[in-house]
Amino acid sequence: MMKTIIEPFRIKSVEPIRMTTRAEREALIRKANFNTFTLDADDVLIDLLTDSGTGAMSAAQWSAVMRGDESYAGSPSYYRFRDAVQNLMPFKHIIPTHQGRAAEAILFSIFGGVGKKIPNNTHFDTTRGNIEASGAEGHDLVIGEGTDPASLHPFKGNMDLPRLARFLEEHGDAVPCVMMTITNNAGGGQPVALENIRAVAELARAFGKPFIIDGCRFAENAWFIKQREPGQQDRSIPDIVRDCFAVADGMTMSAKKDAFGNIGGWLALNDDDLAEVARTHLIRTEGFPTYGGLAGRDMEALAQGLTEIVDEDYLRYRIRTNEYIVERLDALGVPVVKPAGGHAVFIDARSWLDHIPPLEYPGQALAVALYEIAGIRTAEIGTVMFGRQPDGSEKPAAMDLVRLAMPRRTYTQSHADYILEAFEELAEIRRSLKGLRITHEPKLMRHFTCRYEQL
Ligand SMILES: *Cc1c(COP(=O)(O)O)cnc(C)c1O
């Protein structure tokens, strides 16, 4: 057996990277008010801002695009898309949306509202944004290990079951549904065990609450279950995926993640009445129920992508890429979230840059430095993203992480080695990095557009 795990594909079509100098990048990040989201993509060498919609589609997906049927109603592309989803996620109603947050907006138009409290292992930022915009509150009940970057727990995305039980007892009617995010993106791309998914489903059922899975990275989560959960080793990835969703009442999905799409999403529900309310909302905000916010060609690409994402050779290479980077960063003494997450590598900026206090955003300081030194674009997942409280005050988030999100099938091992070299250089100068101050921010989801000044 060969030890080197190669990219399980050849490259047929390429996009050039525009090279820049360090001096250029120092000027560009200032012009962008030190916000990596404000940079032009042409000014980035390796773009690890997100794995969302940034992956490479396969030749088979591009062929499927040509088959797209753009009929307004009843397009065969919708039925191929619906069947591909139901093959893995056996829900009754599959409602296409233009991306995940549109599915969330529809879901919380049903379940949200003032006074409502919605538990999850960890709400992702758009999920929290949609919940709060409805007047409801999002609550994160991940296990303690999930917020300890050094813990080697195999399923750090698991829900804390006793806390969830207490939460349901305490808040009763204020809880409209129970959610679970697989993998736990905001918590470091950490997986949730099948056993934990089933236990959460049982608790939700016992309290009469619908159980909704945010399934964005379902295939990566299933790969971790196969590797780490006792009794799952000999099972196929599609079978594990089906088991995860069989116990849920619905799901939200960003098809820009584990469906190999550049755009797309869906809301799935079993309940006929809820589905009717959701479809009525869909028609008002996204489109007719057989296309939602998508073109027929998008739905074709997703239908094909869903057959490719559960391929074990792909998943092995996908997860190994992150492990490779984590092992080498660890050897360099860079504090990283361990074990490696599914879609990203997370740096513990709070502990690496412990001369910068959380309210001066050590994660953002690191993201700025990575861009200046090497043209690598990353995102802060910490106090900027989660620190602003509903009452307007600000407090440190549970962790200050920097996320190196890996686009699917896009970068190669030499890109990984280049990233590691940037960290080697950073290790020398990290004590000279400075914190930041926010000079302008919107009311919700400030990290996307806020402006900073260096302290
Ligand atoms: C990306 C993501 C979303 C939102 O999906 P979009 O397609 O970006 O709107 C929701 N939840 C999780 C866990 C995500 O990763």
Side-chain angles (χ1 to χ4, degrees), residues 113-433:
V114 178
K116 298 283 171 58
K117 295 174 194 293
I118 301 173
N120 199 333
N121 45 358
T122 311
H123 288 287
F124 187 60
D125 59 353
T126 60
T127 320
R128 180 173 287 280
N130 272 300
I131 289 172
E132 290 176 1
S134 82
E137 285 171 21
H139 291 263
D140 298 337
L141 305 181
V142 72
I143 56 170
E145 290 89 340
T147 52
D148 172 5
S151 160
L152 290 174
H153 192 289
F155 291 103
K156 289 169 79 171
N158 278 358
M159 189 85 82
D160 185 329
L161 298 167
R163 266 176 87 197
L164 178 63
R166 277 200 305 279
F167 188 88
L168 288 164
E169 270 159 30
E170 206 170 301
H171 299 297
D173 288 345
V175 183
C177 63
V178 174
M179 286 193 76
M180 174 76 116
T181 306
I182 65 171
T183 57
N184 192 20
N185 183 356
Q190 297 293 327
V192 180
L194 179 55
E195 187 189 32
N196 191 259
I197 293 173
R198 285 179 168 149
V200 169
E202 236 169 79
L203 257 178
R205 196 137 305 142
F207 283 84
K209 311 292 181 192
F211 174 44
I212 309 291
I213 296 180
D214 174 341
C216 293
R217 296 179 183 80
F218 71 88
E220 290 166 9
N221 201 76
W223 175 258
F224 284 120
I225 287 173
K226 184 174 164 98
Q227 302 307 307
R228 297 179 185 171
E229 190 158 344
Q232 300 295 326
Q233 282 62 50
D234 297 327
R235 305 193 58 220
S236 78
I237 296 293
D239 280 347
I240 295 172
V241 171
R242 284 180 204 114
D243 281 0
C244 293
F245 291 96
V247 295
D249 300 294
M251 74 178 291
T252 55
M253 177 72 187
S254 169
K256 304 170 75 170
K257 322 290 173 47
D258 273 1
F260 278 134
N262 295 134
I263 196 72
W266 65 83
L267 171 65
L269 292 165
N270 281 334
D271 186 272
D272 295 339
D273 296 334
L274 289 181
E276 183 171 299
V277 177
R279 285 199 172 103
T280 306
H281 190 109
L282 183 85
I283 292 171
R284 185 159 59 79
T285 58
E286 291 280 294
F288 190 74
T290 59
Y291 73 87
L294 295 173
R297 55 180 169 270
D298 299 327
M299 293 188 285
E300 292 281 358
L302 300 181
Q304 174 61 27
L306 284 171
T307 69
E308 297 174 8
I309 201 81
V310 291
D311 176 66
E312 295 200 10
D313 292 332
Y314 160 72
L315 287 167
R316 180 178 298 109
Y317 134 82
R318 168 86 175 150
I319 303 303
R320 179 60 200 149
T321 305
N322 293 347
E323 283 171 356
Y324 172 80
I325 295 174
V326 163
E327 281 165 14
R328 277 166 178 72
L329 286 177
D330 199 31
L332 276 175
V334 180
V336 277
V337 174
K338 287 186 275 184
H343 65 293
V345 170
F346 289 74
I347 313 298
D348 180 1
R350 186 178 293 174
S351 80
W352 207 37
L353 305 182
D354 58 9
H355 62 289
I356 302 178
L359 292 180
E360 293 177 12
Y361 316 126
Q364 191 62 25
L366 180 55
V368 167
L370 274 168
Y371 177 73
E372 289 180 341
I373 287 176
I376 299 167
R377 173 153 75 167
T378 56
E380 191 255 20
I381 304 232
T383 301
V384 179
M385 190 180 271
F386 300 115
R388 181 63 71 205
Q389 304 302 303
D391 68 4
S393 66
E394 190 179 23
K395 67 175 195 206
M399 299 188 270
D400 276 298
L401 303 176
V402 169
R403 186 178 74 173
L404 281 59
M406 300 296 164
R408 293 170 180 75
R409 304 189 291 206
T410 304
Y411 293 112
T412 64
Q413 173 151 3
S414 72
H415 293 114
D417 289 333
Y418 176 91
I419 295 163
L420 292 163
E421 188 185 332
F423 274 94
E424 259 170 58
E425 192 161 324
L426 260 173
E428 307 283 318
I429 59 145
R430 71 188 155 107
R431 291 290 171 209
S432 69
L433 300 188

